[in-house]
Amino acid sequence: DLSSACVARMLSAALSEWTWLDPALRKAVETGLSLLLKRCDEQVRERFQSVTSVNSVLRNQNFERFVHNIPLVALLSYSTAAKTIGDDSANWYLARSLVLLEAWSRLRAQGSTEGITYDGLVLDFALTRRSCDDWNALITDEMSPGVRSFIDDLLVLRAPAAAHNLAEIGDIEPTHMTFYLSACVRLAQLDSLPELAWHLNQVDLRYFRSTGLALLTELRSAGSRGQEPKPGKRAGSYAVSLSTGWTSEDLSAAVACSTSNNSHIHHDCGSVTIARGEEWWICDPGPQHWLDTSERDFTIGTEAHNAPIVNGLSQNRKLVERQFHLSNESSRTIRADVDMTECYPPSIGLSCARRSVW
């Protein structure tokens, strides 16, 4: 579970990084970490025992159960914990962590995403463990498709003049679930990613958590200012966008368009959000809530999105394959066309449902 994963990561950091711990307290932390691993071991092995190769995950019809953010970050944190205390289970955890990180990266690059914040949580836990050479190589090499798509999503979803303010398409809360920013800083430290460095330098410091803020200080002291990306047409993993630039006078439109079957991505293909400067003025109410209330029904329902209703019916399926076209209408006009036909019940008999934004 997520709480145990967070505790395991914190205690591992205490043992490996907090040199000021006195011997008695260090021993108590090590004992606690060992007990935590023993308590969770049976449940973790039951879920991940069959994970032997990347293909064993990719070919599984229920691959989401392996790469869903909560069980995956739990596995990653227990792997770090086992290595930290030299537990006999360390190799078992490491082998499956490496396989699942590569599978997660490939799947994300193909469009299987839980949204920028939940995927950022996975990356943050993955990047916490930096003492393993195989792990670091995986992040920068095999994981590069997933990392690249993650950075693309940041640029697709940001308001022009507010890097922290991402379009709330799907279950993301960018100003509250800011752990994804810590992952961004870890990525920028680990590899040369000029667009990411540029983006991070524009994020208001108030939105960084303590760990991310400390890492950002190191990054900025190194003098990395990054490279400003060109505005215009851009495709992310679950939305496409049009933008005129990165100032308070500029506009951006993000259009939902996803093949992801994860529940954190809603049935909202073609739903449009529009920003000017720092704010999203036409927006999606955002995430579903854990409590089964009328507010939850609203945020995941048809009234919370502006995707078309056809013959009284809303979308109930995800795209099998995305069909969109980004083009230049003229020297001053850019356009996005998103095909939504597959998202509606076959009983409607739609020949074509397409949303165009320019």
Side-chain angles (χ1 to χ4, degrees):
D1 61 82
L2 187 57
S3 57
S4 296
C6 292
V7 169
R9 181 167 72 160
M10 180 177 65
L11 295 182
S12 297
L15 287 176
S16 60
E17 299 173 19
W18 300 357
T19 57
W20 43 267
L21 290 181
D22 65 65
L25 182 54
R26 177 175 292 276
K27 183 62 178 177
V29 171
E30 186 174 336
T31 300
L33 200 52
S34 178
L35 289 172
L36 178 61
L37 279 175
K38 289 178 181 178
R39 192 197 77 173
C40 301
D41 188 69
E42 181 178 351
Q43 183 180 10
V44 174
R45 287 178 183 270
E46 181 180 350
R47 177 180 284 266
F48 295 114
Q49 187 66 46
S50 63
V51 174
T52 56
S53 67
V54 174
N55 284 335
S56 71
V57 178
L58 300 181
R59 293 174 181 172
N60 193 306
Q61 290 185 336
N62 299 314
F63 65 82
E64 289 95 346
R65 74 182 299 268
F66 298 118
V67 294
H68 183 273
N69 71 91
I70 293 178
L72 182 52
V73 299
L75 179 71
L76 296 174
S77 64
Y78 301 155
S79 179
T80 300
K83 177 178 171 58
T84 300
I85 64 174
D87 192 85
D88 292 340
S89 63
N91 287 337
W92 187 93
Y93 278 107
L94 176 60
R96 281 153 182 81
S97 295
L98 293 174
V99 164
L100 285 171
L101 281 175
E102 184 175 347
W104 178 90
S105 174
R106 290 194 194 180
L107 288 166
R108 195 186 200 287
Q110 294 168 11
S112 180
T113 173
E114 295 184 84
I116 194 76
T117 47
Y118 286 108
D119 290 351
L121 178 67
V122 171
L123 277 174
D124 189 37
F125 271 77
L127 292 160
T128 296
R129 177 171 178 170
R130 299 175 61 179
S131 58
C132 172
D133 291 339
D134 289 340
W135 199 291
N136 287 346
L138 184 68
I139 298 294
T140 55
D141 295 334
E142 283 84 350
M143 271 194 75
S144 59
V147 168
R148 180 66 257 176
S149 72
F150 179 80
I151 296 171
D152 286 341
D153 284 341
L154 287 174
L155 301 177
V156 164
L157 298 171
R158 60 167 282 168
H164 69 276
N165 192 7
L166 307 181
E168 295 191 28
I169 296 174
D171 290 345
I172 74 167
E173 295 180 272
T175 59
H176 294 89
M177 298 165 61
T178 56
F179 35 74
Y180 78 94
L181 287 172
S182 299
C184 290
V185 183
R186 294 182 196 277
L187 278 174
Q189 285 187 318
L190 199 60
D191 204 355
S192 177
L193 300 165
E195 290 182 344
L196 178 59
W198 171 83
H199 177 83
L200 288 170
N201 279 316
Q202 295 197 333
V203 176
D204 190 313
L205 295 179
R206 291 175 297 174
Y207 294 100
F208 286 94
R209 300 195 174 196
S210 56
T211 300
L213 192 59
L215 295 169
L216 183 69
T217 301
E218 296 176 15
L219 184 67
R220 290 186 174 179
S221 65
S224 176
R225 305 305 301 173
Q227 179 180 336
E228 179 178 324
K230 293 181 179 180
K233 314 178 296 289
R234 194 176 293 270
S237 64
Y238 61 104
V240 298
S241 71
L242 309 172
S243 64
T244 61
W246 312 110
T247 73
S248 59
E249 300 299 318
D250 282 305
L251 300 173
S252 180
V255 186
C257 179
S258 176
T259 58
S260 180
N261 284 316
N262 288 296
S263 61
H264 288 305
I265 302 299
H266 302 169
H267 293 287
D268 60 357
C269 185
S271 193
V272 181
T273 54
I274 300 176
R276 181 180 185 273
E278 298 182 355
E279 299 294 340
W280 291 93
W281 296 103
I282 296 178
C283 57
D284 183 317
Q288 60 179 308
H289 298 271
W290 287 106
L291 296 177
D292 189 5
T293 64
S294 59
E295 183 178 6
R296 183 180 189 272
D297 292 340
F298 169 74
T299 58
I300 63 175
T302 57
E303 293 182 359
H305 306 96
N306 54 38
I309 304 296
V310 181
N311 292 345
L313 297 177
S314 59
Q315 298 177 12
N316 66 353
R317 302 187 302 167
K318 301 288 181 64
L319 295 171
V320 175
E321 182 178 352
R322 296 202 300 176
Q323 297 183 48
F324 63 86
H325 182 63
L326 305 176
S327 60
N328 293 313
E329 286 282 284
S330 68
S331 60
R332 299 186 60 186
T333 305
I334 49 181
R335 176 176 176 135
D337 296 283
V338 174
D339 194 308
M340 307 170 290
T341 311
E342 289 182 355
C343 299
Y344 291 91
S347 60
I348 296 179
L350 276 178
S351 58
C352 181
R354 181 182 299 124
R355 172 150 280 178
S356 299
V357 180
W358 64 94

